Amino acid sequence: MAGEISLQELARQPGIIGAARWKASQYSTNMAAAPVLVEFAGSIDRVRGERLMNNSEVAGMSVMGVGMLNKTSNPDDTRNVFPIDSYYINGQTTSMIATFNRVAVLLDNSVDYEVREVITLMNRVGN
């Protein structure tokens, strides 16, 4: 298994405009509490890092919910797509990838990158 990388190292990869990592709110009993931005890197400022974090966290909750429904609807079906470790949202000029270790990147679509390779790197970021 490859070693851990920093968020700054991830943000230097071709096609990555910026990256953010965050943690769940410290209020574990309050489901409506916002996540906490830990770090951002690349060509984004704190405000854009927080937007990337918030968008990723909210979309991630629904993606995880779909995965859980898929698994619980028929637990004996081995063809389930669970577990899910990330999701990708494609836009016209930029795209976003988020992983369930709470790391997200904003990608420049004019640059050629391999989504699966980016996700592999994202999963190596210690969080």
Side-chain angles (χ1 to χ4, degrees):
M1 170 103 186
E4 190 173 288
I5 64 170
S6 69
L7 192 71
Q8 291 80 17
E9 187 177 347
L10 175 66
R12 288 192 295 268
Q13 299 302 310
I16 296 181
I17 297 168
R21 70 181 182 90
W22 65 97
K23 62 182 180 177
S25 170
Q26 296 171 348
Y27 305 105
S28 61
T29 59
N30 184 352
M31 295 303 290
V36 178
L37 183 65
V38 173
E39 180 181 20
F40 60 94
S43 299
I44 61 174
D45 60 12
R46 174 169 284 283
V47 171
R48 198 165 188 193
E50 287 173 345
R51 277 197 339 243
L52 179 59
M53 168 193 72
N54 287 325
N55 292 339
S56 300
E57 182 77 2
V58 170
M61 283 189 249
S62 45
V63 170
M64 184 57 80
V66 169
M68 291 174 72
L69 286 173
N70 185 34
K71 180 69 175 170
T72 58
S73 67
N74 189 357
D76 298 324
D77 186 352
T78 58
R79 299 169 296 166
N80 281 313
V81 295
F82 194 85
I84 301 166
D85 69 349
S86 61
Y87 63 93
Y88 171 76
I89 299 174
N90 187 61
Q92 291 181 353
T93 58
T94 60
S95 295
M96 181 185 81
I97 300 174
T99 54
F100 286 109
N101 64 336
R102 290 191 163 94
V103 173
V105 296
L106 184 63
L107 297 159
D108 179 353
N109 288 351
S110 68
V111 176
D112 189 24
Y113 54 83
E114 172 56 47
V115 173
R116 289 176 293 186
E117 290 176 11
V118 175
I119 291 168
T120 299
L121 287 172
M122 292 172 69
N123 282 318
R124 289 177 51 200
V125 173
N127 200 13

